[in-house]
Amino acid sequence: MSEGKPVRVPRQVRSLATKEKLLVAAKRLFCEVGYYKTTANAIARKAGTSVGSFYAYFPDKEAVFAELMERIFQRLRVVLEECAKQLRQPDFDPKGWIAQMAQQSVEVYLSEPQFSPQIAVLYYNRAPRVTALVQREQSFIQQMIRSYFALAGDNLSIRDSAGSAIVVQKILIQLPEKILYDWENIGKTEIMEATIDLLQRYLTNPGKR
């Protein structure tokens, strides 16, 4: 039996594979040497492709970084959407739900201990694309949390859902930074427990808002 011709890999599949290699290589470099020391040439070299291929998929390294951010944000949305399903259960436990929402959303960022701090660096340095993405995501999460408060109804003690959503979103977005940067030498467990207790008191105690 004679060997057939090599199976041709579809161009679209090859393109996706090349783009993924560039993303993986870029993420490694961002984590190893930081965003500002990473170059398009270095990303292409680490991915085993040409710099021309890099620019065929991305206009600059900030676009690569933004796409990697989008993947983290998508994981966070999935976590929050899963938490929302509990709101419709007859045995809904407000305090348990608050604890789960806080723990699981924070773990998304903690699962990227080298990359997440790079997001903070670029955001505080006002990198345009990164800043716009973070602000868009913060607004989106605030809206999600506000809708969850409405679904929870009397199970939570909230008078100002918009204000409370902002408070909760700000706490959840800042919590990973405090843990990753070993804020005031307080361990992860202690920070998480204190934050969850604070959120539970804030969202379940009548007459506090």
Side-chain angles (χ1 to χ4, degrees):
M1 178 177 174
S2 61
E3 293 184 2
K5 293 182 179 180
V7 176
R8 183 180 179 185
V9 180
R11 182 176 300 176
Q12 185 178 11
V13 173
R14 291 201 305 271
S15 296
L16 291 173
T18 300
K19 183 178 181 181
E20 187 63 25
K21 285 181 181 179
L22 288 165
L23 286 164
V24 170
K27 186 176 181 181
R28 287 177 180 170
L29 286 170
F30 291 144
C31 293
E32 290 170 4
V33 302
Y35 176 84
Y36 291 106
K37 291 184 179 180
T38 297
T39 65
N41 280 312
I43 294 171
R45 187 164 54 250
K46 197 170 188 67
T49 187
S50 68
V51 71
S53 292
F54 174 91
Y55 286 114
Y57 296 98
F58 303 102
D60 50 40
K61 67 178 181 180
E62 190 177 0
V64 185
F65 195 91
E67 185 152 340
L68 291 168
M69 284 176 59
E70 287 280 16
R71 294 185 175 192
I72 294 178
F73 291 157
Q74 182 57 40
R75 287 166 53 198
L76 180 59
R77 292 185 184 195
V78 169
V79 165
L80 292 175
E81 287 167 358
E82 285 298 314
C83 290
K85 295 177 182 179
Q86 296 185 26
L87 295 169
R88 300 178 178 86
Q89 300 301 317
D91 57 347
F92 173 66
D93 172 22
K95 291 189 175 182
W97 176 76
I98 293 166
Q100 180 182 345
M101 180 177 64
Q103 289 171 335
Q104 293 188 356
S105 60
V106 167
E107 284 299 331
V108 171
Y109 290 100
L110 296 184
S111 68
E112 301 282 356
Q114 284 80 41
F115 187 74
S116 291
Q118 293 296 317
I119 297 177
V121 168
L122 267 66
Y123 178 69
Y124 292 127
N125 284 334
R126 299 186 181 279
R129 200 169 304 162
V130 170
T131 300
L133 274 176
V134 171
Q135 291 177 344
R136 183 210 68 189
E137 196 65 17
Q138 288 178 347
S139 177
F140 181 83
I141 291 173
Q142 286 173 16
Q143 293 174 10
M144 288 182 74
I145 293 174
R146 185 177 180 182
S147 69
Y148 297 166
F149 291 165
L151 287 172
D154 294 337
N155 289 304
L156 297 176
S157 303
I158 297 172
R159 294 179 181 175
D160 179 4
S161 60
S164 294
I166 293 173
V167 169
V168 172
Q169 182 271 324
K170 293 296 184 184
I171 289 174
L172 294 181
I173 204 71
Q174 293 174 7
L175 187 54
E177 292 181 28
K178 298 185 187 306
I179 294 173
L180 290 170
Y181 288 119
D182 195 22
W183 186 67
E184 295 188 1
N185 296 315
I186 303 175
K188 171 187 172 182
T189 301
E190 289 77 10
I191 293 178
M192 283 299 305
E193 289 178 349
T195 302
I196 289 171
D197 181 66
L198 181 149
L199 288 171
Q200 289 173 339
R201 290 172 181 271
Y202 179 72
L203 296 173
T204 61
N205 287 351
K208 296 299 182 183
R209 284 156 306 290

